[in-house]
Structure formats: structure tokens, C-alpha cells
Amino acid sequence: MLHFGFKTTLDLLSWIVVFTLGSKILATVTVLAVDKTARDRPGWGSKLWWLTKLTPLIAVPCLLAIAVLERDDQLVQLFLALGGFVLVAVPLTIWQRHRRISRYRSAKT
């Protein structure tokens, strides 16, 4: 199996998790530093906001795969619950943002 320069599949998955969650933290700190109108406008604020929503969708399956490869049943259950939370929370947050943007646009006209 290809490991892309990593010794094992666990190493690859671990680094994917570290990179995605690290980028989420940096993007979240940056996005929270500006007001909502700046992050809703097209440009870097919007891209960073989307980054904070998409990175968990990448990290959680990798965490689940790590738990399965390690044969740790408690971690599998934990990451399945975390995955369920992410599958509910991310679309709700995206829906709230779209609603906020549409209200802002309708108030402008």
C-alpha cells in the first residue's frame, strides 16, 4: 500500500489529522478576530470560514480509521459519536450562515 513517504498508514492518517485540525485552529482564531460582516463577504474571510467547517469532515474519518486500525472499541464509539455530531453541526452552521447572508442582502435592498 502507498504511504506517501510515511512509514505506516497510521502515520499518514495521524499527520492528516494534525494538519487539518491545526489549520482549523489557525483559521478559527483568524476568523474570530474579525466581525461577522467581514467573514461573510467574498474573499479571505469567507475562505477561512469554510476551512473551519470542512476540516472536521476530513479529520473525523481519519480518526475513526486510526481507531479501527488500532482495534480500540472505545475510541471507535467515541469517534462515531463525534462524526455524528459533525454531520449535524456542520450543515446547521452552514445553513445559519446562508440565512444570515440572505437577511443581510434583503435588508440592503
Side-chain angles (χ1 to χ4, degrees):
M1 178 177 200
L2 291 175
H3 300 294
F4 302 105
F6 296 96
K7 201 165 191 125
T8 65
T9 304
L10 286 175
D11 290 342
L12 175 64
L13 292 171
S14 298
W15 278 107
I16 290 172
V17 170
V18 167
F19 178 75
T20 56
L21 294 182
S23 61
K24 179 182 175 49
I25 290 169
L26 290 175
T28 301
V29 168
T30 306
V31 164
L32 290 176
V34 298
D35 61 339
K36 283 187 180 185
T37 57
R39 69 181 92 134
D40 288 343
R41 286 191 305 253
W44 64 269
S46 179
K47 290 175 184 153
L48 288 175
W49 186 89
W50 278 102
L51 182 68
T52 64
K53 302 305 169 241
L54 297 179
T55 51
L57 296 175
I58 297 167
V60 170
C62 291
L63 287 170
L64 187 58
I66 289 170
V68 168
L69 288 172
E70 290 286 324
R71 294 182 178 99
D72 190 340
D73 294 336
Q74 289 180 334
L75 279 180
V76 169
Q77 292 174 356
L78 176 69
F79 293 144
L80 279 174
L82 180 62
F85 172 76
V86 167
L87 286 176
V88 171
V90 168
L92 279 175
T93 308
I94 292 170
W95 177 71
Q96 288 173 343
R97 180 176 189 260
H98 284 298
R99 195 172 63 170
R100 184 176 64 242
I101 290 171
S102 66
R103 275 195 311 229
Y104 176 74
R105 286 183 182 162
S106 65
K108 270 178 90 174
T109 58

